[in-house]
Amino acid sequence: MESLGLICEWNPFHNGHAYLLEEARRKFPEAVIVAVMSGNFVQRGEPAIISKRARSETALKQGADLVVELPLWWATQAADGFAKGAVSALTGLDCQSLIFGVEDANFTDYINLAQWEAAHPKKFESYLQASYQVSANMSYAERRHWALNQAIVKENIVSASQVDFQQKSNTLLAYAYIREASLAKQKIAYYPIQRIGAQHRQDDTDVNLGSNFMSGSQIRRSLIEESEVYRGKLPLALQMQLEKAPVLGGWTALYPYLRYRLLTTPISELSDYYQVEEGIEYKMLAAAKQADNMTDFIGRCRNRNWSVSRLQRAALMLVLGVKKTSMAHYLAGPQPLNLLGMTSRGQSYLKTLNKATANSQWQLISRVNRQCEKMWPLWLNADRLYSLIMQTKDSENIGRQPIIIKKKETDK
């Protein structure tokens, strides 16, 4: 069976995501759409606004055939790590094609540049190091962009490339997917889809009220502020779940756990935690003594090299108690692919995977049991914390069966 891979968070699933699935189905009507989705904690280092099961069910009703959970230790990495884990998971599921939304669907130059970078790591590193001679005040992202521009100027094979990464979060991630697939020497076909609606980094308050599309960040802000501008911008059933939820995901409920960790852990031990680097623990501790909420905390810690997302990822590792040695163990070991849901077509596809995944480091988990907890306690403990802050009693994992959509439904 032909399969089409999709890397996603759907935080929450909105009309732009529905459009991408519609386009995928239109272009590949017979394909199985396989989605690798972040679980209850997402790439920007925060709790998802609503549970992974709610997001999975919505996506299955909107056109996805198979939804599996990207493990927490990959889902909460910066773009390169996130891409590496997600691409590896898709290839473990025997997906040979990848579809993604981008701000610029004329994507050939981005593909060529990503493949060049993967094939010439020493040259790219030399351009990266040269950026320090130009300015000592660039962030790492700025250095990467400067190095890529130098490659375009000096390397004949990519000299005609026209790329622009500014304010283009989806394009940045898609570029990372291609680079990581190329580094792993995976043969994957790429299908970019022009993204419509607001951009992820657009001002959250810059909303076109006449449009059916808002970015995920705008929808989250609207929900948290109890504004009604998000209405009609996501499937109705999910909208109703969000409106009835006792608590919405985000750092509001999680911040007291971070503050407690920082105030009770010896400063000499804080740097043992994953992603706590460059002496940021001193700023974080000072901020925790003063800040009563996450917004204030971030404002006190943020600087050129420490973006909001980077700070939140480090903060999340502190809350979850993930040290550098522990993270190395999880990244290197066997990987669980928690099966969240499927359609009838997805079930048929699963039957073809036994041989494809026999030699893979990825283990498809159709039912979470105590053996899973023994092998991957971080995953299950993190989800217990998520249930606690979301004030839900249902287990996110143990004993839960995958969602099965027997008949295609449309959830408008």
Side-chain angles (χ1 to χ4, degrees), residues 41 72-73 76 251 254 257-258 261 273 313-323 326-327 377-379 381-386:
F41 295 91
L72 171 76
W73 39 96
T76 54
W251 268 97
L254 195 59
Y257 295 85
L258 171 64
R261 175 77 73 179
Y273 288 87
R313 284 191 292 268
L316 182 60
M317 295 301 106
L318 283 164
V319 170
L320 297 178
V322 184
K323 295 190 175 182
S326 176
M327 181 58 78
L378 173 59
W379 159 29
N381 286 334
D383 276 356
R384 289 190 180 101
L385 176 60
Y386 184 82

Side-chain angles (χ1 to χ4, degrees), residues 162-400:
Q162 296 184 16
V163 299
D164 178 13
F165 294 104
Q166 297 301 314
Q167 304 298 312
K168 295 183 177 180
S169 301
N170 293 275
T171 296
L172 281 166
L173 273 176
Y175 182 91
Y177 301 154
I178 297 161
R179 184 182 62 245
E180 293 302 325
S182 300
L183 285 169
K185 302 189 185 308
Q186 299 288 350
K187 294 183 179 180
I188 295 178
Y190 304 111
Y191 299 105
I193 300 293
Q194 178 75 53
R195 190 175 186 273
I196 58 178
Q199 309 306 325
H200 276 295
R201 293 185 182 180
Q202 187 172 327
D203 185 347
D204 288 345
T205 62
D206 186 11
V207 178
N208 181 355
L209 297 179
S211 170
N212 288 325
F213 298 94
M214 289 175 65
S215 71
S217 58
Q218 289 175 334
I219 291 173
R220 292 192 298 273
R221 173 68 65 85
S222 175
L223 283 160
I224 290 169
E225 294 181 348
E226 299 184 347
S227 162
E228 295 189 357
V229 296
Y230 67 87
R231 290 177 177 270
K233 308 300 192 296
L234 63 166
L236 180 59
L238 185 63
Q239 177 181 306
M240 293 174 66
Q241 286 189 62
L242 284 161
E243 290 171 350
K244 292 178 180 178
V247 174
L248 294 175
W251 268 97
T252 299
L254 195 59
Y255 177 68
Y257 295 85
L258 171 64
R259 197 175 191 188
Y260 175 80
R261 175 77 73 179
L262 285 166
L263 295 177
T264 58
T265 303
I267 188 68
S268 60
E269 295 180 16
L270 289 175
S271 61
D272 293 340
Y273 288 87
Y274 186 65
Q275 298 191 4
V276 179
E277 302 166 342
E278 301 173 1
I280 195 64
E281 64 270 21
Y282 292 96
K283 271 199 165 188
M284 295 176 94
L285 177 57
K289 292 177 179 178
Q290 300 292 326
D292 293 326
N293 58 72
M294 191 62 172
T295 301
D296 188 11
F297 176 86
I298 292 292
R300 293 171 184 271
C301 296
R302 188 178 181 182
N303 60 39
R304 192 175 190 87
N305 286 315
W306 284 85
S307 66
V308 174
S309 295
R310 188 182 181 191
L311 284 165
Q312 288 183 164
R313 284 191 292 268
L316 182 60
M317 295 301 106
L318 283 164
V319 170
L320 297 178
V322 184
K323 295 190 175 182
K324 292 179 172 72
T325 52
S326 176
M327 181 58 78
H329 166 78
Y330 281 108
L331 293 175
Q335 303 293 314
L337 270 179
N338 184 25
L339 177 58
L340 294 171
M342 55 193 158
T343 63
S344 299
R345 179 159 28 188
Q347 282 184 299
S348 298
Y349 181 73
L350 283 179
K351 295 175 182 178
T352 71
L353 288 180
N354 290 337
K355 292 182 180 179
T357 59
N359 298 317
S360 172
Q361 66 171 335
W362 294 93
Q363 299 181 20
L364 193 62
I365 308 295
S366 59
R367 185 165 184 172
V368 180
N369 55 27
R370 297 300 174 187
Q371 181 63 24
C372 294
E373 183 159 30
K374 183 178 179 180
M375 292 186 67
W376 303 290
L378 173 59
W379 159 29
L380 302 188
N381 286 334
D383 276 356
R384 289 190 180 101
L385 176 60
Y386 184 82
S387 294
L388 179 64
I389 65 171
M390 296 290 282
Q391 300 179 18
T392 59
K393 295 181 180 179
D394 293 337
S395 167
E396 286 289 316
N397 295 299
I398 299 293
R400 297 295 289 268

Side-chain angles (χ1 to χ4, degrees), residues 11-31:
N11 184 36
F13 189 100
H14 56 64
N15 291 352
H17 301 135
Y19 171 79
L20 178 61
L21 287 175
E22 287 171 6
E23 285 294 288
R25 184 61 67 207
R26 183 180 66 81
K27 291 175 180 292
F28 305 95
E30 302 303 319

Side-chain angles (χ1 to χ4, degrees), residues 87 90-91 95-99 115 177 181-182 185-191:
V87 169
L90 282 175
T91 55
C95 289
Q96 304 303 317
S97 302
L98 178 61
I99 194 164
Q115 291 174 337
Y177 301 154
S182 300
K185 302 189 185 308
Q186 299 288 350
K187 294 183 179 180
I188 295 178
Y190 304 111
Y191 299 105

